[in-house]
Amino acid sequence: MAAELRSFYSEDYIHLIAAELSTLLPLNVDSFKTHVLAEPWEDLSLKERSSRLTDALVTFLPADPEPAIEILKQLLPRVSGDAQKYADMLSIFIPDYIVRRKNDISLNLALEALTFFTCKGTTSELAIRPFLIDSPAEVMSRFYELAKHPHPHVRRWASEGCRPRLPWAIGLPEFKKDPNPILPILETLCKDDSKFVQKSVANNLNDIAKDHPSIVLAFAEKWRGTHPNTDWILKHGLRTLLKQGNPNALALFGATPVEISTPELKLNRATIGIGETQDFSFTGMIKGTLPQKLRIEYAVDFVKFNGTTSRKVFMISEGLPKHGEILIRKSHRFTDFTTRKHYAGDHQISVLVNGVEITSANFQLLG
């Protein structure tokens, strides 16, 4: 079994932080470690352990935040990079110090420090959110500038920091309501050569699409075909709309509706157990002119704990059709994961062609 991420906040890693800090200021290493590892350390979540480290910084660093920040600028490169597996994520306790001292420092100092940290081995996408909520115009103005920064991690931060639905982060209700201030940043970054940046821009668009699909569709119509990197970003950014079968999103990429004659979906088994695999096949014939793009997906309507169902769509293939015949064979394993638990009941598998559900079949999942 893979180790829990929180376990990488190990005693050895805490010792590394304390030992490096002790070379930068008068510090009792054992006192720092005792503060961080105090009970109930073993019961703390990943975020709670990170917060405990931030508490220790507030306790042991100088009371004046300006020299404290200078110390953290020296500390970060020593405890990130190759110093520890997942060190870039683990060291978010350092930018979180800026949040803790938010009322004691200027916005300009906070932004300068968070930019530095983003360049030197961690991410400030969570730490920027309170500043963005309090001073949206000022922070977004800085992000517009940083979207042209030479360091790809900083350019990514300009997008990731203002994502309306960033996981693990506090929400941005103002941008959920009106995402238009975000768009100039995404326009600046939509041809970026860094895949790290491209993924963030796409994820930002996907966030916006959940509340304002028309805004994202208009953005895609404006920028599609202007650059290969842009086309990749748009395809990934519209993924939720594409999976929902949004006809405008599908049409942007040539997946226009098609009519299928003699569709037939066959399931291998009428009943399966949790942990087992359902095999299925589908055949059909496209009527009329072939579309520019043939997008074939299957959906599973999973039974939830309360007896209702929740649909999940999975890609099978996408490309230029060479002929009208469709023949697919696929398997789906109903194994429990951290992100999905299966429940017994009547499940359904459906086949979708260019976003349109063609046919479906039911089977029983046994507990």
Side-chain angles (χ1 to χ4, degrees):
M1 181 181 294
E4 285 188 286
L5 198 50
R6 66 174 183 160
S7 69
F8 289 95
Y9 278 127
S10 62
E11 187 170 349
D12 286 344
Y13 183 57
I14 306 306
H15 179 83
L16 170 67
I17 295 165
E20 292 294 347
L21 266 179
S22 70
T23 68
L24 300 171
L25 78 161
L27 176 73
N28 184 295
V29 170
D30 289 335
S31 295
F32 185 93
K33 291 170 61 179
T34 298
H35 182 100
V36 174
L37 298 170
E39 293 297 329
W41 174 259
E42 292 300 325
D43 297 330
L44 298 183
S45 67
L46 177 73
K47 293 183 72 174
E48 289 170 334
R49 292 187 180 192
S50 177
S51 181
R52 181 71 70 80
L53 273 163
T54 307
D55 291 340
L57 294 182
V58 173
T59 300
F60 289 94
L61 287 177
D64 185 344
E66 292 198 27
I69 290 171
E70 292 305 312
I71 290 170
L72 292 178
K73 287 180 178 180
Q74 298 178 67
L75 173 67
L76 177 59
R78 303 184 188 188
V79 300
S80 61
D82 296 332
Q84 165 78 32
K85 190 174 183 180
Y86 305 120
D88 57 338
M89 189 280 301
L90 296 177
S91 54
I92 59 172
F93 70 92
I94 291 179
D96 193 45
Y97 173 86
I98 304 299
V99 180
R100 297 290 186 90
R101 303 304 304 271
K102 178 174 176 288
N103 295 329
D104 304 317
I105 60 177
S106 68
L107 178 60
N108 190 61
L109 177 60
L111 293 173
E112 186 275 330
L114 293 176
T115 303
F116 179 92
F117 296 148
T118 303
C119 288
K120 298 296 182 179
T122 190
T123 176
S124 300
E125 64 206 46
L126 303 182
I128 193 60
R129 312 289 276 201
F131 297 96
L132 189 50
I133 289 173
D134 286 356
S135 306
E138 294 86 345
V139 175
M140 291 301 283
S141 178
R142 183 67 62 90
F143 272 171
Y144 298 147
E145 299 172 10
L146 294 177
K148 302 175 183 177
H149 195 279
H151 199 299
H153 288 198
V154 177
R155 299 198 304 275
R156 173 188 178 272
W157 180 45
S159 166
E160 199 74 3
C162 61
R163 279 181 58 184
R165 295 174 173 271
L166 180 66
W168 287 21
I170 57 177
L172 298 176
E174 182 174 334
F175 289 162
K176 287 181 182 179
K177 182 178 180 181
D178 178 15
N180 282 292
I182 303 173
L183 300 184
I185 293 173
L186 304 187
E187 290 179 344
T188 300
L189 296 171
C190 70
K191 298 180 182 179
D192 203 282
D193 288 334
S194 167
K195 187 63 72 176
F196 197 42
V197 176
Q198 293 170 21
K199 289 179 179 179
S200 177
V201 175
N203 288 337
N204 203 324
L205 287 170
N206 192 52
D207 280 3
I208 296 170
K210 293 174 181 178
D211 299 303
H212 302 278
S214 61
I215 290 177
V216 174
L217 286 168
F219 184 97
E221 288 173 0
K222 177 181 178 180
W223 290 98
R224 187 175 66 89
T226 60
H227 194 278
N229 294 344
T230 306
D231 288 346
W232 185 92
I233 288 169
L234 294 176
K235 184 73 174 295
H236 196 55
L238 271 67
R239 62 187 182 275
T240 295
L241 296 180
L242 291 169
K243 285 187 176 183
Q244 290 173 345
N246 183 288
N248 293 325
L250 289 161
L252 274 172
F253 299 98
T256 51
V258 295
E259 186 177 353
I260 305 295
S261 63
T262 61
E264 185 175 14
L265 173 61
K266 293 183 178 179
L267 305 186
N268 189 50
R269 300 167 63 183
T271 61
I272 65 169
I274 293 175
E276 296 182 337
T277 298
Q278 177 67 279
D279 300 314
F280 61 94
S281 63
F282 171 80
T283 58
M285 182 68 67
I286 299 173
K287 295 179 66 175
T289 305
L290 298 180
Q292 297 176 34
K293 186 73 65 68
L294 187 65
R295 180 184 176 96
I296 303 176
E297 301 163 295
Y298 73 96
V300 180
D301 291 319
F302 294 97
V303 174
K304 298 168 64 176
F305 175 75
N306 62 4
T308 62
T309 59
S310 174
R311 172 165 287 198
K312 176 75 173 176
V313 177
F314 303 89
M315 175 66 75
I316 297 177
S317 64
E318 184 176 40
L320 179 68
K322 296 180 180 179
H323 47 73
E325 183 182 14
I326 299 175
L327 171 61
I328 61 172
R329 292 184 177 87
K330 194 68 180 175
S331 300
H332 187 97
R333 189 171 183 83
F334 288 80
T335 302
D336 286 344
F337 297 99
T338 304
T339 55
R340 180 177 297 280
K341 181 173 174 60
H342 295 86
Y343 298 95
D346 190 24
H347 285 60
Q348 179 175 279
I349 289 179
S350 304
V351 173
L352 296 84
V353 179
N354 285 6
V356 177
E357 182 174 326
I358 302 301
T359 186
S360 63
N362 289 40
F363 67 96
Q364 285 289 320
L365 182 66
L366 305 177

